[in-house]
């Protein structure tokens, strides 16, 4: 006897792999289960201002990239008369403007859209900075050594030393007051850590607040202890990445490098907005990796094509269920799925009216062709031509009557309609009108059911964003194909037995 174990193993494998892919997409790439969700986007504009002296100008601005907590979505720049390039310099991304000659006040703009994304990754913390020994003049050197000595007594490593140094500097003692005149808090903390042999680098961050204008960058210090690091805010003494804090420059490079100008400054304006999840994901998945198989990587034209194609298995599942489990008869096996696809393009009511008009008129014309005793190929060809003519005629009539919806019947699959008319005509001749109505009505019923399943916004979202769903649908189809019991429509044959049992 043939064992069914391999079959059930295949079905189980399809289901589990499909479910695993869907869970992976949701938890790793933050693709939501439900449509209509939005993602928070921060639009940030950096304004570069400086005085040009009539000489060639080159301005290089550090720009952010995707990093923990944020995914870069869009970036653009406005620079009338300037050449612009986005370059990578020692691992740091920069926008570089250049012009042969400029004079007077100059204004350059750079805009970036960053999406809040807890799953985002970036280049932060990739390389431990070198410890630079800097010669410090007196009396600042003595003050630094005294502050370090006090902090080192109460610390055990680089991270705890940083915390104690921030406490000492915030106490506003004599040494702290003196060192505050030497350097600002961020560079001073880096110098103190380097003097103690602790790897650290100065970062520049932007605290995001909706609607704020002309905001400066704030200093942050990244401190290493082995491979581990922590980020500190020297101004507040806080440890760790703060909420809505975007790192703008994190490679120990100047924020603005200007040649040919003076009195430069960079200010920032920011605005919070929301975008539909499909728009945000399309931009997020623009650069795929081998495990992130996403249709968002395709051009828009192909994406639109696949949005329709991926709905077909859902319609197929509806047909399989209604035919095998329920027992609905249809004219053609999967003709209802193609009709349902046409309904998606035309709308349900317009599609039903158009289908009945074309098939009804086609049956009348086909009855005349049956008297001509044509060969099958010629007869089908004639029916196809008639279908095309009827679609064109009804479209023109609908347009003349102002019924623009009626013009959408051009989306019907003409070859399938022709074969449907041919099958129903033969069925009429062999089985009678009753069987035609039964199979035609069954086809429309299944087509409507498939349309309702395929046109559901939730189903559309799942099929396009979770390709693993196709494997689950395949597993369901295989299971349904293994069903050998009675169909629901056949159970009426047993109703007399049930009545007899009740009488007894």
């Amino acid at each position: 006897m043939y064992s069914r174990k391999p079959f059930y193993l295949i079905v189980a494998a399809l289901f589990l792999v499909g479910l695993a892919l869907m869970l992976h997409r949701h938890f790793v790439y933050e693709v939501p289960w439900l449509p209509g969700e939005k993602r928070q986007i921060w639009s940030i504009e950096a304004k570069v201002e400086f005085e040009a002296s009539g000489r060639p100008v080159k301005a290089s601005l550090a720009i952010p990239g995707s990093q923990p907590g944020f995914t870069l979505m869009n970036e653009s720049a406005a620079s009338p008369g300037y050449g612009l390039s986005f370059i990578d310099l020692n691992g740091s991304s920069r926008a570089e403007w250049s012009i042969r000659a400029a004079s007077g006040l100059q204004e350059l703009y750079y805009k970036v859209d960053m999406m809040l994304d807890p799953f985002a990754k970036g280049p932060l913390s990739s390389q431990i900075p070198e410890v630079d020994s800097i010669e410090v003049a007196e009396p600042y050197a003595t003050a630094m050594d005294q502050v370090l000595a006090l902090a080192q007594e109460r610390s055990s490593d680089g991270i705890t030393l940083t915390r104690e140094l921030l406490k000492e500097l915030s106490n506003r003692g004599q040494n702290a007051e003196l060192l505050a005149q030497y350097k600002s808090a961020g560079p001073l903390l880096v110098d103190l850590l380097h003097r103690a042999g602790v790897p650290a680098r100065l970062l520049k961050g932007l605290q995001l607040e909706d609607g704020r204008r002309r905001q400066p960058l704030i200093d942050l210090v990244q401190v290493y202890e082995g491979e581990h690091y922590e980020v500190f805010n020297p101004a507040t003494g806080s440890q760790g990445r703060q909420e809505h804090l975007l790192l703008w420059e994190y490679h120990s490079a100047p924020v603005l490098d200007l040649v040919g100008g003076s009195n430069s400054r960079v200010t920032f304006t920011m605005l919070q907005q929301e975008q539909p999840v499909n728009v945000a994901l399309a931009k997020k998945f623009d650069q795929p990796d081998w495990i992130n198989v996403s249709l968002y990587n395709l051009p828009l034209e192909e994406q639109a094509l696949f949005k329709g194609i991926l709905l077909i298995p859902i319609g197929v599942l509806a047909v399989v269920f209604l035919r095998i489990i329920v027992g609905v008869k249809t004219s053609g096996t999967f003709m209802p799925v193609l009709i349902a696809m046409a309904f998606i393009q035309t709308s349900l009511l317009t599609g039903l009216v158009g289908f009945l008009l074309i098939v009804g008129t086609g049956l009348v014309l086909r009855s005349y062709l049956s008297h001509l005793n044509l060969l099958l190929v010629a007869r089908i060809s004639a029916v196809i031509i008639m279908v095309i003519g009827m679609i064109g005629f009804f479209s023109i009539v609908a347009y003349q009557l102002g019924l623009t919806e009626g013009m959408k019947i051009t989306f019907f699959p003409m070859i399938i309609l022709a074969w449907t008319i041919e099958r129903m005509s033969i069925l009429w001749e062999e089985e009678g009108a009753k069987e035609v109505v039964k199979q035609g009505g069954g086809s429309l019923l299944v087509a409507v059911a498939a349309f309702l399943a395929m046109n559901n916004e939730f189903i559309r979202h799942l099929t396009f964003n979770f390709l693993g769903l196709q494997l689950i649908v395949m597993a369901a189809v295989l299971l349904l194909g293994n069903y050998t019991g009675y169909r629901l429509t056949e159970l009426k044959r047993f109703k007399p037995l049930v009545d007899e049992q009740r009488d007894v």
Side-chain angles (χ1 to χ4, degrees), residues 369-440:
L369 290 178
S370 63
H371 299 293
L372 300 180
N373 295 323
L374 298 176
L375 296 175
L376 176 63
V377 175
R379 189 169 67 241
I380 290 296
S381 300
V383 173
I384 292 173
I385 295 171
M386 286 193 307
V387 168
I388 294 173
M390 285 185 290
I391 289 176
F393 173 76
F394 289 135
S395 297
I396 293 171
V397 171
Y399 178 75
Q400 294 295 332
L401 295 176
L403 304 174
T404 54
E405 285 292 316
M407 298 173 61
K408 294 181 179 179
I409 62 174
T410 54
F411 289 106
F412 276 112
M414 300 174 188
I415 304 299
I416 299 300
L417 285 178
W419 272 108
T420 301
I421 293 171
E422 176 68 18
R423 284 199 193 97
M424 287 188 175
S425 179
I426 294 174
L427 188 64
W428 194 312
E429 295 171 357
E430 295 178 351
E431 302 290 340
K434 182 179 179 181
E435 191 65 24
V436 171
V437 172
K438 183 185 293 185
Q439 292 194 17

Side-chain angles (χ1 to χ4, degrees), residues 314-498:
I314 303 299
V316 168
L317 180 61
V319 171
V320 171
F321 178 81
L322 290 173
R323 289 197 55 158
I324 295 178
I325 304 299
V326 180
V328 179
K329 291 185 177 181
T330 62
S331 178
T333 307
F334 292 107
M335 182 271 286
V337 178
L338 299 177
I339 298 301
M341 292 290 292
F343 287 168
I344 291 176
Q345 302 294 330
T346 64
S347 78
L348 183 58
L349 181 60
T350 302
L352 284 172
V353 173
F355 179 83
L356 293 173
L357 280 175
I358 293 171
V359 173
T361 307
L363 284 174
V364 173
L365 297 176
R366 170 61 178 77
S367 65
Y368 172 73
L369 290 178
S370 63
H371 299 293
L372 300 180
N373 295 323
L374 298 176
L375 296 175
L376 176 63
V377 175
R379 189 169 67 241
I380 290 296
S381 300
V383 173
I384 292 173
I385 295 171
M386 286 193 307
V387 168
I388 294 173
M390 285 185 290
I391 289 176
F393 173 76
F394 289 135
S395 297
I396 293 171
V397 171
Y399 178 75
Q400 294 295 332
L401 295 176
L403 304 174
T404 54
E405 285 292 316
M407 298 173 61
K408 294 181 179 179
I409 62 174
T410 54
F411 289 106
F412 276 112
M414 300 174 188
I415 304 299
I416 299 300
L417 285 178
W419 272 108
T420 301
I421 293 171
E422 176 68 18
R423 284 199 193 97
M424 287 188 175
S425 179
I426 294 174
L427 188 64
W428 194 312
E429 295 171 357
E430 295 178 351
E431 302 290 340
K434 182 179 179 181
E435 191 65 24
V436 171
V437 172
K438 183 185 293 185
Q439 292 194 17
S443 297
L444 277 183
L445 175 64
V446 175
V448 170
F451 163 80
L452 294 175
M454 297 161 66
N455 201 45
N456 183 276
E457 185 179 3
F458 176 65
I459 297 297
R460 285 173 171 268
H461 172 76
L462 288 182
T463 54
F464 190 75
N465 290 285
F466 296 93
L467 295 181
L469 180 63
Q470 305 297 323
L471 298 180
I472 295 178
V473 172
M474 171 70 85
V477 168
L478 291 178
L479 279 178
L480 289 173
N482 196 44
Y483 179 74
T484 56
Y486 288 107
R487 293 173 174 82
L488 295 179
T489 53
E490 296 175 336
L491 295 180
K492 63 181 180 180
R493 295 186 300 169
F494 301 97
K495 188 174 183 301
L497 296 177
V498 175

Side-chain angles (χ1 to χ4, degrees), residues 197-324:
V198 177
R201 65 158 56 96
L202 185 67
L203 312 178
K204 294 289 186 178
L206 183 64
Q207 190 64 49
L208 301 177
E209 297 181 46
D210 187 27
R212 298 302 296 266
R213 301 174 62 249
R214 307 186 73 82
Q215 295 298 298
L217 295 174
I218 61 175
D219 287 338
L220 301 166
V221 176
Q222 185 182 21
V223 183
Y224 284 83
E225 180 60 40
E227 296 295 328
H228 175 67
Y229 74 88
E230 287 288 347
V231 176
F232 291 86
N233 186 335
T236 63
S238 60
Q239 177 179 342
R241 290 283 298 274
Q242 302 174 24
E243 187 178 8
H244 294 172
L245 177 64
L246 174 68
L247 296 179
W248 193 270
E249 202 294 312
Y250 36 87
H251 291 89
S252 301
V255 174
L256 178 65
D257 191 1
L258 179 64
V259 177
S262 58
N263 300 325
S264 62
R265 67 171 179 169
V266 184
T267 55
F268 299 84
T269 301
M270 61 210 73
L271 185 66
Q272 180 184 352
Q273 56 184 330
E274 290 185 334
Q275 285 189 355
V277 67
N278 61 328
V279 177
L281 293 179
K283 297 173 182 176
K284 178 181 177 179
F285 296 148
D286 185 49
Q287 298 297 327
D289 55 57
W290 70 272
I291 200 168
N292 177 24
V293 181
S294 172
L295 293 175
Y296 289 112
N297 308 133
L298 298 175
L300 289 179
E301 185 176 355
E302 279 68 24
Q303 287 187 39
L305 177 64
F306 272 100
K307 278 188 177 181
I309 292 176
L310 291 173
L311 292 173
I312 292 178
I314 303 299
V316 168
L317 180 61
V319 171
V320 171
F321 178 81
L322 290 173
R323 289 197 55 158
I324 295 178

Side-chain angles (χ1 to χ4, degrees), residues 3 29 47 72 79 126 134 136 156 158 190 214 284 299-300 308 313 376 379 391 418 430 439 449 459 477 500 504:
S3 174
Y29 293 101
K47 181 180 181 182
L72 189 149
S79 49
S126 57
I134 301 174
V136 181
S156 58
V190 173
R214 307 186 73 82
K284 178 181 177 179
L300 289 179
L376 176 63
R379 189 169 67 241
I391 289 176
E430 295 178 351
Q439 292 194 17
I459 297 297
V477 168
E500 290 180 6
V504 172

Side-chain angles (χ1 to χ4, degrees), residues 6-32:
F7 170 78
Y8 290 115
L9 286 175
I10 292 173
V11 171
L14 287 172
F15 177 81
L16 293 175
V17 171
L19 182 62
L21 289 175
M22 294 179 68
L23 293 174
H24 179 268
R25 289 279 291 171
H26 175 70
F27 290 107
V28 177
Y29 293 101
E30 204 189 358
V31 181

Side-chain angles (χ1 to χ4, degrees), residues 33-51:
W33 296 118
L34 299 175
E37 293 189 22
K38 296 182 180 295
R39 289 291 181 268
Q40 192 177 79
I41 307 292
W42 284 94
S43 293
I44 305 153
E45 183 180 76
K47 181 180 181 182
V48 180
E49 298 174 279
F50 61 90
E51 291 285 342

